[in-house]
Amino acid sequence: MILFDIKADLYGPPSNEREDSNAFRARLAVSAVFDQVEPLQAQLARMASFREPMQRLGELAKVFDELRKFAMQLSDLARVFESRHNFQDRLRPVPNQFAPLEALDEKLKRLCASFAEHLSELADALGPAVMLQDQLGYLASAFEPAKVLRQEFSGLAQSFALGSHAMSDGRNTASSPSNPRR
């Protein structure tokens, strides 16, 4: 025996019937359950406002493609400098015998020191990008439950939707004259 009419509670009584004031009101019950998540929905909606800045960050990240090309060029140059370094090591005893080569040795040392200094500055300039990557990684892991919850809520919504169709189909079958259960 059905104590209340679920279909009528969910969709309201037909327009020609008046609603019983004591009847179970599904809309009120459902809204009472979901009222507690209303402030959370506002926070979730605010998350959408961060999509554009994230897209701009993605565009800024294209700088790494150019830096990667530059790093490859510097790697090639470093290989050349490695052979130059071996040459300079062999040249060290010679400046004592030939004074003009001492100036060349000094210029090569300053050139290497300047490269090292600029590369250190470039590495330091990447520090904020590395910190941002760490923060984005943390945020990505913090938002991981969103995927799982979305799937769970979608699954639950489908099961409720299927349940309401089954109930309305079952009620129609139960009230049909050919069904002796009534």
Side-chain angles (χ1 to χ4, degrees), residues 128-160:
V130 171
M131 287 176 28
L132 180 62
Q133 180 196 21
D134 291 344
Q135 290 174 335
L136 289 173
Y138 169 76
L139 285 174
S141 65
F143 279 85
E144 190 62 33
K147 287 181 182 178
V148 174
L149 288 170
R150 182 179 186 189
Q151 290 171 343
E152 288 178 7
F153 289 143
S154 293
L156 287 170
Q158 288 176 348
S159 72
F160 273 96

Side-chain angles (χ1 to χ4, degrees), residues 4-122:
F4 52 87
D5 187 352
I6 293 175
K7 186 175 180 182
D9 288 333
L10 289 175
Y11 302 108
S15 58
N16 60 354
E17 291 180 23
R18 73 172 185 88
E19 186 175 346
D20 183 8
S21 61
N22 295 328
F24 177 71
R25 296 185 183 158
R27 291 187 194 280
L28 292 175
V30 169
S31 69
V33 169
F34 284 91
D35 281 349
Q36 61 187 328
V37 294
E38 197 170 306
L40 301 176
Q41 287 176 322
Q43 287 178 329
L44 291 169
R46 281 186 41 213
M47 288 180 198
S49 68
F50 290 98
R51 195 166 84 220
E52 181 187 337
M54 295 300 284
Q55 287 174 336
R56 288 188 300 194
L57 278 175
E59 291 171 15
L60 283 175
K62 292 178 184 175
V63 72
F64 296 117
D65 293 337
E66 294 299 318
L67 281 174
R68 173 62 49 210
K69 291 175 189 173
F70 181 68
M72 290 170 36
Q73 292 171 341
L74 281 179
S75 294
D76 293 342
L77 185 59
R79 282 192 289 279
V80 170
F81 263 81
E82 190 175 315
S83 61
R84 189 245 7 114
H85 187 63
N86 293 335
F87 169 72
Q88 191 177 3
D89 286 343
R90 290 185 193 146
L91 191 65
R92 290 208 197 283
V94 177
N96 296 333
Q97 297 169 356
F98 301 102
L101 289 178
E102 190 174 341
L104 176 63
D105 187 46
E106 195 56 43
K107 285 180 182 179
L108 290 174
K109 285 180 185 175
R110 284 196 308 260
L111 181 65
C112 286
S114 180
F115 261 95
E117 183 180 329
H118 281 81
L119 286 170
S120 291
E121 289 173 2
L122 182 57

